[in-house]
């Protein structure tokens, strides 16, 4: 019941609209230590998921699959492409896909302009900038840790840079106290 109705206004231009429009955006990743703390039941939040996290999330309003080939990292035994094809919510992608009805081309030129540079090292970077471009007044991160010394190490400076730009523009950043980001 907390889910928004998100409609695609222009898939090729990357334009969507949430009804009702929400000013709080939750960016949710795979890190199990804080993923469960996301505001799943709070209707004030637009919930954004990524990649194959669909198998673990109780709710999502918008999805992000930014890999050039959406099934490159498909978990064995799953039908990720089938889920993308059946998804009732918009899926932000590098381009629209004819066989994925709710695919929406991520507006990369607008995102680079908003950020002031072409600096996107992860799906979460796209997610944060998109939320800001949609008028988010608060962006929260759950399930995203980016611990140094892991495969995500190169993504952390990018994420922290973008969060800093958001804060400088007056967007409130909410993160659990026990994650590594911004420490």
């Amino acid at each position: 019941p907390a889910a928004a109705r998100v409609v695609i206004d222009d898939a090729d231009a990357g334009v969507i609209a949430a009804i009702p429009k929400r000013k709080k955006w939750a960016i949710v990743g795979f890190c199990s230590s804080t993923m469960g703390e996301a505001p799943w039941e709070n209707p004030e939040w637009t919930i954004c998921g990524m990649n194959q996290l669909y198998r673990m999330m109780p709710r999502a309003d918008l999805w992000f699959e930014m890999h050039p080939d959406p099934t490159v990292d498909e978990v064995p035994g799953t039908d990720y492409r089938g889920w993308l094809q059946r998804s009732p919510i918009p899926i932000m992608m590098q381009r629209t896909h004819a066989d994925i009805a709710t695919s929406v081309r991520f507006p990369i030129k607008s995102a680079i302009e908003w950020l002031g540079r072409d600096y996107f090292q992860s799906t979460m970077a796209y997610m944060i900038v998109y939320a800001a471009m949609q008028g988010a007044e608060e962006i929260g991160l759950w399930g995203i840790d980016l611990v140094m010394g892991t495969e995500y190490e190169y993504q952390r400076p990018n994420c922290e840079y973008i969060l800093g730009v958001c804060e400088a523009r007056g967007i409130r950043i909410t993160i659990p106290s026990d994650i590594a980001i911004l420490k």
Side-chain angles (χ1 to χ4, degrees):
R5 187 170 69 87
V6 182
V7 296
I8 300 169
D9 287 337
D10 186 334
D12 291 318
V15 180
I16 64 164
I19 303 167
K21 184 171 177 65
R22 296 176 174 171
K23 298 293 186 176
K24 296 180 178 186
W25 286 62
I27 310 300
V28 183
F30 288 86
C31 183
S32 61
S33 64
T34 60
M35 182 177 64
E37 298 173 23
W40 306 115
E41 302 300 323
N42 188 331
E44 295 180 356
W45 289 85
T46 296
I47 306 286
C48 302
M50 67 177 94
N51 308 334
Q52 291 196 61
L53 190 58
Y54 73 95
R55 297 171 296 124
M56 301 166 212
M57 290 179 62
R59 169 185 151 216
D61 301 306
L62 180 61
W63 208 258
F64 285 76
E65 175 47 78
M66 297 303 295
H67 296 97
D69 173 3
T71 57
V72 70
D73 292 324
E74 185 165 343
V75 174
T78 66
D79 181 20
Y80 185 42
R81 186 164 205 79
W83 181 84
L84 292 170
Q85 292 169 332
R86 294 183 303 275
S87 176
I89 62 174
I91 303 168
M92 286 288 164
M93 305 180 86
Q94 288 191 15
R95 63 178 179 82
T96 58
H97 293 255
D99 67 327
I100 301 173
T102 59
S103 62
V104 177
R105 187 187 64 78
F106 183 84
I108 189 65
K109 289 182 182 178
S110 298
I112 292 168
E113 184 177 298
W114 184 92
L115 187 57
R117 67 183 67 245
D118 186 355
Y119 185 31
F120 295 90
Q121 295 293 317
S122 66
T123 298
M124 108 194 82
Y126 294 107
M127 296 168 82
I128 295 166
V129 170
Y130 193 77
M133 290 170 48
Q134 294 298 305
E137 294 175 0
E138 182 174 358
I139 297 173
L141 277 63
W142 289 273
I144 297 170
D145 207 6
L146 306 179
V147 175
M148 300 306 282
T150 68
E151 65 177 303
Y152 304 106
E153 184 170 343
Y154 72 94
Q155 296 176 4
R156 185 171 171 177
N158 178 228
C159 179
E160 291 179 328
Y161 173 82
I162 292 172
L163 292 173
V165 170
C166 288
E167 280 192 323
R169 293 184 179 199
I171 299 170
R172 180 178 176 203
I173 303 300
T174 299
I175 57 173
S177 61
D178 56 345
I179 67 171
I181 298 172
L182 298 177
K183 292 189 178 67

